[in-house]
Amino acid sequence: MSDQSTAEPVIQLVNLNKWYGDFQALCDVNITINRGERVVVCGPSGSGKSTMIRCINRLEHHQKGEIIVDNIELTDNLKNIEAVRSEVGMVFQSFNLFPHMRVIDNLTLAPMLVRKMPKADAEEIAMQYLERVQIPEQAYKYPGQLSGGQQQRVAIARSLCMQPRIMLFDEPTSALDPEMIKEVLDVMVELADDGMTMIVVTHEMGFAKTVADTMVFMDKGEIVEIASPDVFFTKPKSERTQLFLNQILTH
Amino acid sequence: MNDQATPEVVAGGSKRTAPPPIERIPVLRWVRENLVSTPFNAAVTAICLIGLIYFLPGFIEWALFDAVFVTSDHKVCRAAEGACWAVVGEKHRPMFFGVYPYEEHWRLIIAVLIYISAIVITMMPKFWSYRILVPAWIFTLVSTLTLMWGGFLGLAEVDTSQWGGLPLTMILFSGTLVIGFPLAILLALGRQSNMPAVKAVCVVFIESLRGVPLITILFVAVNVFPLFLPQGLEFDKLLRVVVGMAIFFACYEAEVIRGGLQAISKGQYEAAEALGLGYWHIMIRIILPQALRICLPGIVNHIIAAFKNTSFVLIIGLFDILTATTAVMQDPEWRRFTLEAYLCVGLVYFMFCYALSKYSQLVERWLSEGKRF
């Protein structure tokens, strides 16, 4: 789908199917994402967007189909799951910072425990990323003392500290007050400019237009349309996409 | 800087950040709000006051003015109208140290002092480091057990069946906690486990032992358990009792901890998993610290209950502080003053439990500092 010259697939979903009980949440999802590609996924609520990206780092397990991340197939094999998780960072709608730890400890925990990094090195890297998300002065506070926008930036920095090659964003701005959305999106734009492979589930269409290489529209557990942003926003092929875009762009 | 340019801002700023009005609470207002705020409250206050006026003077007279504080002659006490606190002075050694050989009591005093110092150190956050606490506790355990057991270094050997009084109560209590608390955490985690076998074992263990009285567990540990052991193999009776109490404690505590675990949002697990942390790292670093804080009041509740449960060892022939007192008070000369002795023991129990509850309030305050969640 990407027009990049070095088309090296890093995420492949092949005929992915997932059920919650009897309810089919994903139906035959097929998509290939290349290294450095920025994919924005949109669609009405309940369309399976979050479920799809949560399958990519195995927070949800799929019943049918294949997920291959960085040449590792996701199965019940714990080794593979760990390998994939250490390559893939994830940012959640509700931040999910660890409230009993200071910001700096939130950031250094995983590098120290998973990557066995010495404390001093982990703290140095943590401070680098906090500077990058522009809140180094908050390092020694607890998450509860920060605003929503600051918390989400800490969450992004926490994921980056594991130096992932792929970042997943699950509606990162949906729980934020309007004036804080921009500070989080700015950080994400900067990350995209650095060439990070990103999959972003969001309703921020302005962000999608500036950042996305590929737009994906999902509805009822299926991928309805995959297109480049200019095609997607001006002449979408499917009627359902048109309807959705009309609803969210015109108000 | 330029004060002239910004007087309005300063004035406006100070106005907006004025301190809250100081609320003065005179005694009369306190009385009105707390004692007689409604007719019902006023009635309760009146009943309590009447009760105090009726009973308090008599009690003070008995406990203080007419009491005998120091004498070694029981006849002096019998002649007096009031309480005979002298009984505590007369009998304190067998009360506090049970049937432990009289001339060796100094060993117990040193052991109790070492032990209490270790607990005080452990309670203070500035000593919370493995480098201090681990050696401190190794020293405490080795030195106190050496002192109590003896058998070498020129100390006469004292069998555990002769241990008694306050040291025994403290051994039972701390043994229960040291074995029971980690077991409670494992049971709570096991009950939440995704692995059906682990979960089933934990559920059966908790539910079956929770439904049995402590006395039965102690009886089984002391009298029935040895029957299953091959001949020649024998565990110390005291150890069996401690393990029995620990298991009983763990079953209750596990359910309290499970309540705390359920209060942690799924997002915490997911964020930790997404970072690549494994199960034990997630539990020890992220979930348990939050869960234990949430259920701290419930945890302390059961710890206090465990302290008082140590007195159950009476039925299996161990002399904790309460049983030892009962036994000492069989002495016909002092028998009339059993109430005073029991009051003294009650005070000891109260001091321990009150200290525990005050300490837990302190810990709650430390843990909530800077953290709003």
Side-chain angles (χ1 to χ4, degrees):
Chain A
M1 284 304 129
S2 168
D3 53 354
Q4 286 190 323
S5 51
T6 53
E8 177 203 347
V10 285
I11 300 175
Q12 288 163 280
L13 308 184
V14 184
N15 290 327
L16 185 65
N17 282 276
K18 158 140 193 85
W19 288 263
Y20 291 111
D22 288 337
F23 174 73
Q24 185 159 16
L26 294 175
C27 302
D28 284 328
V29 168
N30 283 289
I31 189 171
T32 301
I33 294 161
N34 293 318
R35 185 162 308 291
E37 192 173 347
R38 278 96 59 169
V39 179
V40 169
V41 184
C42 59
S45 66
S47 60
K49 334 178 273 292
S50 290
T51 308
M52 180 180 79
I53 72 164
R54 287 161 60 87
C55 281
I56 295 173
N57 68 353
R58 194 74 178 184
L59 288 182
E60 304 286 350
H61 69 108
H62 57 286
Q63 286 96 340
K64 232 174 104 186
E66 276 173 40
I67 302 174
I68 298 161
V69 181
D70 233 4
N71 296 320
I72 305 166
E73 190 184 347
L74 272 177
T75 55
D76 283 329
N77 184 332
L78 275 176
K79 271 253 157 58
N80 287 1
I81 296 174
E82 272 170 32
V84 167
R85 280 179 179 162
S86 65
E87 293 292 320
V88 180
M90 183 151 190
V91 175
F92 300 85
Q93 180 179 348
S94 50
F95 327 137
N96 293 343
L97 294 175
F98 306 133
H100 59 300
M101 295 179 179
R102 296 173 307 172
V103 165
I104 186 96
D105 302 320
N106 264 277
L107 268 63
T108 55
L109 182 74
M112 281 163 63
L113 294 182
V114 180
R115 298 246 192 267
K116 311 286 176 219
M117 200 183 273
K119 191 172 183 203
D121 296 1
E123 284 187 351
E124 201 187 313
I125 290 175
M127 286 313 292
Q128 274 173 26
Y129 282 112
L130 279 180
E131 259 154 51
R132 210 164 134 186
V133 300
Q134 307 190 346
I135 37 174
E137 72 281 1
Q138 312 288 355
Y140 299 98
K141 290 191 184 164
Y142 285 93
Q145 296 167 302
L146 309 186
S147 73
Q150 289 171 329
Q151 290 195 42
Q152 191 61 298
R153 285 186 283 158
V154 170
I156 294 173
R158 180 176 69 178
S159 288
L160 293 175
C161 280
M162 285 296 282
Q163 294 165 320
R165 299 164 76 178
I166 300 162
M167 285 287 284
L168 308 174
F169 292 85
D170 188 0
E171 306 204 27
T173 56
S174 301
L176 294 176
D177 291 336
E179 76 268 24
M180 292 170 186
I181 291 178
K182 187 173 175 297
E183 63 189 51
V184 171
L185 291 181
D186 285 348
V187 168
M188 290 167 63
V189 171
E190 203 185 301
L191 203 57
D193 291 342
D194 290 351
M196 176 70 79
T197 309
M198 291 164 69
I199 306 179
V200 185
V201 173
T202 187
H203 297 296
E204 296 294 329
M205 288 302 134
F207 169 81
K209 280 177 193 162
T210 44
V211 164
D213 295 317
T214 308
M215 294 296 300
V216 173
F217 176 68
M218 292 184 74
D219 192 16
K220 295 181 181 142
E222 297 173 318
I223 291 185
V224 177
E225 186 154 356
I226 300 179
S228 67
D230 21 322
V231 176
F232 185 82
F233 286 109
T234 51
K235 36 186 187 295
K237 275 175 246 151
S238 119
E239 254 175 63
R240 274 194 276 175
T241 316
Q242 281 170 19
L243 196 69
F244 177 74
L245 286 176
N246 283 338
Q247 278 167 345
I248 64 165
L249 293 179
T250 58
H251 67 82
Chain B
M1 289 174 276
N2 53 353
D3 297 67
Q4 289 163 322
T6 55
E8 277 174 43
V9 176
V10 170
S14 67
K15 200 174 179 185
R16 247 176 269 136
T17 60
I22 298 162
E23 222 176 318
R24 293 182 43 179
I25 307 181
V27 178
L28 267 180
R29 205 178 123 201
W30 183 87
V31 168
R32 201 168 57 224
E33 284 181 2
N34 293 286
L35 298 181
V36 289
S37 57
T38 64
F40 178 73
N41 269 359
V44 172
T45 304
I47 291 171
C48 290
L49 270 179
I50 292 167
L52 280 179
I53 291 167
Y54 195 77
F55 289 111
L56 203 58
F59 179 78
I60 291 177
E61 218 160 287
W62 176 80
L64 292 177
F65 299 133
D66 294 343
V68 178
F69 287 92
V70 190
T71 177
S72 54
D73 186 1
H74 62 97
K75 290 190 189 103
V76 179
C77 272
R78 278 167 191 263
E81 296 257 310
C84 174
W85 300 117
V87 69
V88 177
E90 184 67 18
K91 296 289 183 191
H92 72 279
R93 292 197 37 181
M95 272 167 65
F96 281 86
F97 301 127
V99 291
Y100 201 87
Y102 193 82
E103 57 283 0
E104 306 287 345
H105 282 179
W106 60 272
R107 282 158 56 177
L108 296 183
I109 295 171
I110 297 175
V112 166
L113 287 179
I114 292 176
Y115 184 79
I116 288 179
S117 334
I119 289 181
V120 169
I121 286 175
T122 310
M123 284 166 111
M124 290 195 276
K126 66 174 159 182
F127 297 115
W128 286 356
S129 126
Y130 293 112
R131 251 171 292 164
I132 297 172
L133 290 185
V134 171
W137 275 100
I138 290 174
F139 169 77
T140 305
L141 286 178
V142 171
S143 59
T144 50
L145 288 177
T146 307
L147 279 166
M148 293 195 65
W149 236 315
F152 54 95
L153 294 176
L155 299 168
E157 192 177 332
V158 182
D159 190 72
T160 56
S161 59
Q162 286 177 284
W163 295 11
L166 188 61
L168 179 69
T169 299
M170 285 162 78
I171 287 172
L172 289 169
F173 176 56
S174 40
T176 304
L177 287 194
V178 169
I179 302 171
F181 201 73
L183 183 63
I185 290 176
L186 290 179
L187 284 172
L189 293 179
R191 200 168 179 170
Q192 300 239 307
S193 169
N194 294 326
M195 290 179 274
V198 174
K199 188 176 174 157
V201 168
C202 291
V203 170
V204 169
F205 192 84
I206 291 171
E207 293 300 340
S208 55
L209 287 171
R210 213 160 48 133
V212 175
L214 177 57
I215 288 180
T216 313
I217 292 180
L218 293 180
F219 188 76
V220 169
V222 172
N223 296 325
V224 182
F225 180 69
L227 301 178
F228 297 120
L229 289 178
Q231 215 147 44
L233 186 63
E234 216 178 295
F235 288 109
D236 188 79
K237 181 174 166 188
L238 182 58
L239 182 67
R240 279 180 273 147
V241 169
V242 168
V243 171
M245 295 185 105
I247 288 173
F248 184 79
F249 169 75
C251 289
Y252 279 92
E253 203 71 295
E255 289 296 283
V256 175
I257 294 171
R258 190 164 69 100
L261 290 173
Q262 279 171 347
I264 307 297
S265 79
K266 221 176 138 215
Q268 293 288 308
Y269 292 90
E270 288 179 349
E273 281 172 18
L275 286 168
L277 296 173
Y279 177 81
W280 288 108
H281 279 150
I282 294 178
M283 287 305 160
I284 293 169
R285 303 300 292 270
I286 294 162
I287 305 302
L288 282 174
Q290 298 181 59
L292 294 181
R293 180 185 168 264
I294 291 170
C295 55
L296 192 63
I299 289 175
V300 175
N301 202 12
H302 281 289
I303 289 179
I304 289 176
F307 183 71
K308 294 183 294 177
N309 280 350
T310 55
S311 58
F312 274 110
V313 295
L314 145 84
I315 61 126
I316 43 158
L318 288 176
F319 288 82
D320 75 309
I321 185 165
L322 187 63
T323 319
T325 305
T326 311
V328 169
M329 285 304 139
Q330 301 305 313
D331 179 350
E333 289 183 349
W334 293 92
R335 192 174 211 159
R336 281 177 57 180
F337 313 110
T338 309
L339 175 64
E340 286 88 333
Y342 276 149
L343 280 174
C344 169
V345 175
L347 189 66
V348 171
Y349 274 101
F350 176 78
M351 267 162 31
F352 270 92
C353 295
Y354 189 68
L356 263 172
S357 109
K358 274 286 155 201
Y359 180 68
S360 85
Q361 284 170 19
L362 207 59
V363 169
E364 264 178 77
R365 202 158 354 120
W366 290 333
L367 290 178
S368 60
E369 259 169 31
K371 294 171 225 181
R372 283 168 280 151
F373 61 91

